[in-house]
């Protein structure tokens, strides 16, 4: 579609999404298909994060991730304070479909937090080969970041959402830029191509997979996640 058309087309936030129901698995728009959908409805003590898209992109749930309440809970960890806590993460192995490549690529999630720090979803890290992407919340403001063969684009929400209420966030990478939608409202967008993004790293939810809290901070997210979904065109 492209960022230019994105600015023109009205974003309709359905009642179901606003109420926190995970979006249906049917394609949300013409030409768009669901890559992965992690509903985070597993029972307490579960160690497998199931993908309901039918594509089989299941992941592992760390022992420090709270489950069983209809969402995942990530406790607060002090930034840049060792040791690292790999059990704080949910991790999905590397699959080609989880890399944007050159496609339009969209991440949608529902979160609730009172905190102001952490990487929520990411695949790859800042300098790895093949590019990377992440959705984070520094100072309580959602940021979408995509880095590829043609460059990098960072988009930041104008206002924080760390107010303890549930919010639906969508970050979309187009061929010519990145757009950010919160609770059905277009809040930010930025022009710029990112090119191909294709790395060999796992997808992590809740922080970084490779870090030590000394030379590399783990950027652990603190708060609740109700679902994470990835769509592509």
């Amino acid at each position: 579609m492209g960022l230019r058309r994105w600015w023109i087309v009205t974003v309709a936030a359905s009642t179901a999404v606003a109420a926190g129901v995970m979006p249906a698995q049917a394609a949300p728009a013409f030409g768009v298909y669901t890559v992965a959908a992690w509903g985070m409805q597993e029972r307490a003590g579960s160690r497998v994060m199931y993908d309901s898209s039918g594509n089989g992109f299941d992941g592992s749930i760390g022992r420090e991730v709270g489950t069983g309440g209809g969402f995942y809970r990530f406790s607060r960890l002090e930034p840049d304070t060792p040791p690292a806590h790999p059990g704080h993460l949910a991790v999905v192995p590397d699959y080609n479909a989880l890399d944007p490549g050159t496609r339009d690529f969209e991440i949608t999630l529902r979160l609730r937090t009172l905190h102001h720090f952490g990487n929520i979803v990411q695949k790859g890290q800042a300098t790895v080969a093949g590019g990377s992407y992440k959705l984070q919340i520094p100072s309580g403001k959602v940021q979408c970041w995509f880095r590829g063969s043609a460059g990098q684009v960072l988009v930041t929400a104008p206002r924080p959402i760390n107010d303890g209420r549930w919010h639906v966030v969508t970050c979309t990478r187009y061929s010519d830029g990145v757009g950010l939608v919160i609770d059905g409202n277009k809040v930010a967008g930025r022009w710029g191509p990112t090119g191909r993004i294709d790395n060999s790293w796992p997808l992590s939810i809740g922080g970084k997979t490779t870090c030590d809290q000394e030379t590399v901070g783990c950027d652990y997210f603190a708060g609740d996640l109700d679902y994470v979904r990835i769509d592509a065109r």
Side-chain angles (χ1 to χ4, degrees):
M1 177 169 68
L3 188 63
R4 186 176 302 279
R5 186 180 172 197
W6 177 83
W7 280 115
I8 298 172
V9 175
T10 300
V11 174
S14 70
T15 301
V17 170
V21 178
M22 189 170 183
Q25 297 312 301
F30 177 76
V32 178
Y33 65 94
T34 298
V35 175
W38 300 290
M40 302 182 170
Q41 301 296 307
E42 289 82 15
R43 292 181 295 179
S46 298
R47 293 290 167 256
V48 177
M49 180 175 68
Y50 291 102
D51 169 23
S52 63
S53 72
N55 294 324
F57 300 144
D58 297 339
S60 61
I61 305 170
R63 294 187 177 276
E64 295 178 18
V65 179
T67 58
F71 53 84
Y72 290 1
R73 171 154 289 173
F74 298 82
S75 60
R76 184 183 183 279
L77 294 170
E78 199 66 31
D80 301 324
T81 302
H85 289 254
H88 187 85
L89 310 177
V91 179
V92 182
D94 174 45
Y95 292 99
N96 288 338
L98 299 179
D99 292 312
T102 58
R103 303 171 295 173
D104 290 354
F105 193 81
E106 185 168 274
I107 304 164
T108 300
L109 56 83
R110 187 170 183 252
L111 68 84
R112 176 175 65 183
T113 186
L114 288 168
H115 304 286
H116 55 83
F117 182 77
N119 296 357
I120 306 170
V121 176
Q122 69 183 95
K123 190 173 188 296
Q125 292 176 201
T127 61
V128 304
S132 54
Y133 63 85
K134 66 179 175 179
L135 193 160
Q136 60 187 358
I137 190 166
S139 302
K141 297 181 179 180
V142 174
Q143 288 186 333
C144 311
W145 182 69
F146 290 87
R147 177 182 65 89
S149 60
Q152 57 185 320
V153 174
L154 175 68
V155 172
T156 303
R159 291 176 294 278
I161 60 168
N162 56 330
D163 54 11
R165 294 180 292 187
W166 286 106
H167 297 278
V168 177
V169 175
T170 299
C171 290
T172 308
R173 192 286 295 265
Y174 300 103
S175 61
D176 56 355
V178 176
L180 171 59
V181 173
I182 298 179
D183 297 331
N185 300 307
K186 298 176 185 179
V187 298
R190 186 172 182 181
W191 301 107
T194 50
R196 177 174 294 277
I197 301 174
D198 187 357
N199 64 52
S200 59
W201 284 57
L203 181 144
S204 60
I205 298 173
K208 295 177 183 174
T209 56
T210 301
C211 57
D212 58 12
Q213 289 285 68
E214 294 182 6
T215 58
V216 179
C218 296
D219 296 331
Y220 291 127
F221 170 69
D224 302 329
L225 287 179
D226 186 37
Y227 63 78
V228 174
R229 169 176 167 158
I230 294 177
D231 296 296
R233 180 185 290 105

